[in-house]
Amino acid sequence: MRRTQAGIAQFKRDRLSERVKSGLAAARAQGKKLDRQPGQRPKSIKLAPKVVQVADGRSDRWTARDLGIGKNTVLEIMKRQRQNSL
């Protein structure tokens, strides 16, 4: 009985995978963009002045920990700050 249930479950997974793949292919054929769309990051824009002030000479990890935000957020803010200052 367990073999039958496993076989049915596998069949359902395969069908679901086929439907998803065909749906994605149809969307691509219509010219839709399926990737994550680039956009603004309101949180990092709002926190940018504080991050730049606190980060002066400190590591990104310590800055992130002190402000309660992610290290990658600090890295992105500092990267944009360097690009804007050029």
Side-chain angles (χ1 to χ4, degrees), residues 47-84:
L47 291 173
K50 189 182 288 188
V51 169
V52 172
Q53 179 184 7
V54 172
D56 189 34
R58 301 178 74 196
S59 73
D60 297 328
R61 288 184 182 189
W62 281 100
T63 303
R65 194 198 73 179
D66 288 347
L67 295 174
I69 59 176
K71 175 182 64 87
N72 289 334
T73 304
V74 173
L75 288 170
E76 285 296 318
I77 290 170
M78 297 307 290
K79 179 179 165 185
R80 265 189 307 213
Q81 187 68 23
R82 282 191 295 275
Q83 288 174 349
N84 290 338

Side-chain angles (χ1 to χ4, degrees), residues 10-46:
Q10 182 64 43
F11 175 73
K12 286 182 177 183
R13 281 192 298 272
D14 291 342
R15 292 279 316 261
L16 178 62
S17 177
E18 289 173 14
R19 287 195 306 267
V20 168
K21 288 177 184 176
S22 68
L24 290 172
R28 283 189 193 104
Q30 292 177 357
K32 295 193 178 185
K33 293 184 179 183
L34 301 174
D35 294 336
R36 183 172 182 255
Q37 301 300 313
Q40 297 294 322
R41 305 288 189 271
K43 180 180 178 182
S44 64
I45 290 171
K46 182 177 76 174

